[in-house]
């Protein structure tokens, strides 16, 4: 790659051809303050905090949008530049109502940090004191216009990263406001609460309900892990304090979705309202009583011996880790089954391949509901002009972006469209029909295909030889390992016909406590192990720091049961 050489603050430095002055400074450890800049978003140069002096240039230039060239001489700090930056900060503080002592973001706010950096202890301009409303209509996070500095990070992130293009700017000058759609309340807009805007906001304009006023980020522990709420397996960071998860963030540039998350992975787990059960229960003759874990496991082991292992089935949820599934298979052998429906065939593409496709076909999945993070990639590809073809329906929001709609079995028309594209990709999900799947299979390897599997760790569990449950054989006893999955409706209809039921679950729902034995399971933030995502990529789960887990891991419980039987 070609390089450029320039002088910054009297020092010879190098960057790549096409880099901005800010890029070169970041690569060479030279600090330039920014507010509207965020790595991965298009730079717009509106905050004016990164202004620098370039020899022979007329006036100061914004470093984030000025290309670096050979021989350029740049000064990033002097009395003139610092005075202008301080003045910019004063204007930002005077335009809105920034009361740092009452703000949830105090201590983590980028605007506040720059104020300290430039010694801002008073504002020379008159304050506008605008009367601005707060939008509290969303369940998961709030929008306070008084703290917005109009950096437009959220607007760009919503379009360029999340692909939803919900946010825009209305009015001009001091009346400018960030708003969703046609200035609707958020709960009436097309916002899907993915939280991307929240993660990029530099001030307290956007704040989440769960993690508000519970401490600064320095007081929290960050734990890198994998999202367990669908088969995408997004890489995440769990922010926790005193053993409680308070916030989930995407890791930009890493993982299968490079930081894109959805409401199912970012917010919903934190607002789980189900009753948690951390101890075992035994039901005898209609009487339910608490029991020690050792006693409950011994009771299950006795029942397995009485009925015989051949008459006992083990049903495991795709929320279980590979390590747990290995022990489960070891215990139940060929009588071990996966609760989730049959898996989707593995594709030959990755989620990030959607970014460079000129034609995207979506088949057999509702991306709006089942794979929301993938819908972001599809939407942002459509935003930049890629042709989107929907076979059947992919959810209302994705369907609106489609330029072509086909019937579910119209493989012929789909084939003709794909032939006319130079970089096509087909995304198929768990509802793809057998005839369409056979047609797609014949297109390989010429057409890239992304298979979206149902469940969370279905690919990993099936790799261990555990097949999906079909319910074609009657068993006298059943051991159901749900982990933190709710009891499926299909299971509820099956279990009354079984003589003995043992359920291992995180939650004390009606189906779980009606079992003969209830065993506890760890929650998503307490588990350690590995998952295999829909792309066949291995993701690592890590539990947040805790004094001592109240519940043994699923793997430990299954291993203990296996030891009792051998």
């Amino acid at each position: 790659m070609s390089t450029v050489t320039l002088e910054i603050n009297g020092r010879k430095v190098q960057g790549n051809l096409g880099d901005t002055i800010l890029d070169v400074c970041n690569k060479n450890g030279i600090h330039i303050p920014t507010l509207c800049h965020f790595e991965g978003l298009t730079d717009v140069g509106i905050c004016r905090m990164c202004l620098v002096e370039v020899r022979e240039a007329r006036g100061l230039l914004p470093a984030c949008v000025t290309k670096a060239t050979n021989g350029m001489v740049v000064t990033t700090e002097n009395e003139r530049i610092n005075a202008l930056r301080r003045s910019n900060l004063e204007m930002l503080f005077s335009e809105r109502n920034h009361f740092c002592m009452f703000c949830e973001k105090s201590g983590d706010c980028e605007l506040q940090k720059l104020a300290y950096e430039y010694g801002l202890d008073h504002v020379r301009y008159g304050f506008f004191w605008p009367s601005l409303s707060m939008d509290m209509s969303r369940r998961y996070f709030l929008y306070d216009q008084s703290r917005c500095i109009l950096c437009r990070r959220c607007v760009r992130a919503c379009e360029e990263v999340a692909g939803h293009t919900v946010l825009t700017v209305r009015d001009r000058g001091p009346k400018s406001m960030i708003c969703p759609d046609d200035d609707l309340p958020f709960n009436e807009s097309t916002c899907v609460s993915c939280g991307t805007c929240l993660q990029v906001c530099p001030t307290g304009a956007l704040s989440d309900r769960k993690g508000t006023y519970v401490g600064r980020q320095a007081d929290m522990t960050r734990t890198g892990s994998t999202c367990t709420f669908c088969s995408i397996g997004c890489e995440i960071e769990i922010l926790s304090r005193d053993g409680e998860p308070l916030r989930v963030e995407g890791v930009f540039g890493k993982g299968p979705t490079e930081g894109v998350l959805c409401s199912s992975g970012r917010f919903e787990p934190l607002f789980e309202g189900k009753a948690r059960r951390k101890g075992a229960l035994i039901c005898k003759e209609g009487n339910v009583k608490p029991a020690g874990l050792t006693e409950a496991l011994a009771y299950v082991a006795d029942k397995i011996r009485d009925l015989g292992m051949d008459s006992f089935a083990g049903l495991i949820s795709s929320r279980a880790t590979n390590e747990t599934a290995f022990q489960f298979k070891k215990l139940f052998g060929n009588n071990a089954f996966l609760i989730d429906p049959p898996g989707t065939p593995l594709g030959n593409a990755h989620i990030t391949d959607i970014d460079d496709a000129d034609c995207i076909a979506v088949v057999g999945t509702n991306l709006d509901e089942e794979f929301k993070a993938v819908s972001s990639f599809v939407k942002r590809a459509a935003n930049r002009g890629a042709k989107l073809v929907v076979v059947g329906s992919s959810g209302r929001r994705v369907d609106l972006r489609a330029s072509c709609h086909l019937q579910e079995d119209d493989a012929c028309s789909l084939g003709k469209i794909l032939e006319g594209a130079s970089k096509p990709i087909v995304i198929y999900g768990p509802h793809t029909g057998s005839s369409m799947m056979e047609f797609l299979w014949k297109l390989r390897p010429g057409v890239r295909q992304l298979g979206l599997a149902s469940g969370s760790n279905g690919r990993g569990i099936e790799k261990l030889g555990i097949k999906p449950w079909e319910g074609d054989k009657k068993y006298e006893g059943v051991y159901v390992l749900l982990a933190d999955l709710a009891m499926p409706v299909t299971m509820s209809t099956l279990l009354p016909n079984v003589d003995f039921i043992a359920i291992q679950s995180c939650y004390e729902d009606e189906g779980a406590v009606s079992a003969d034995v209830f065993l506890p399971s760890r929650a998503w933030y307490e588990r350690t192990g590995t998952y295999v995502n829909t792309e066949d990529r291995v993701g690592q789960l890590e539990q947040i720091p805790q004094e001592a887990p109240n519940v043994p891991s699923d793997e430990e419980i299954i291993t203990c049961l296996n030891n009792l039987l051998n």
Side-chain angles (χ1 to χ4, degrees), residues 58-81:
R58 222 175 135 186
L60 300 181
L61 302 178
C64 66
V65 292
T66 304
K67 297 294 182 184
T69 59
N70 272 314
M72 182 179 275
V73 179
V74 180
T75 300
T76 66
E77 274 198 46
N78 58 29
E79 189 174 333
R80 176 193 177 198
I81 295 171

Side-chain angles (χ1 to χ4, degrees), residues 276-279 293 504 519-523 526 548-554 556-557:
R276 181 80 186 274
R277 178 78 195 181
K278 296 185 178 181
L293 185 59
Q504 186 177 342
L519 298 163
S521 183
R522 289 186 179 181
E526 297 170 330
N550 295 320
V551 179
S553 69
D554 296 337
E556 290 171 329
I557 291 175

Side-chain angles (χ1 to χ4, degrees), residues 12-41:
K12 293 286 184 182
V13 295
Q14 284 190 326
N16 297 323
L17 187 64
D19 281 352
T20 64
I21 295 175
L22 181 61
D23 292 331
V24 176
C25 286
N26 288 338
K27 290 176 181 178
N28 289 275
I30 301 171
H31 171 64
I32 292 184
T34 61
L35 278 173
C36 66
H37 169 79
F38 193 89
E39 193 67 32
L41 299 180

Side-chain angles (χ1 to χ4, degrees), residues 225 328 355 550 557:
S225 190
F328 200 80
D355 282 335
N550 295 320
I557 291 175

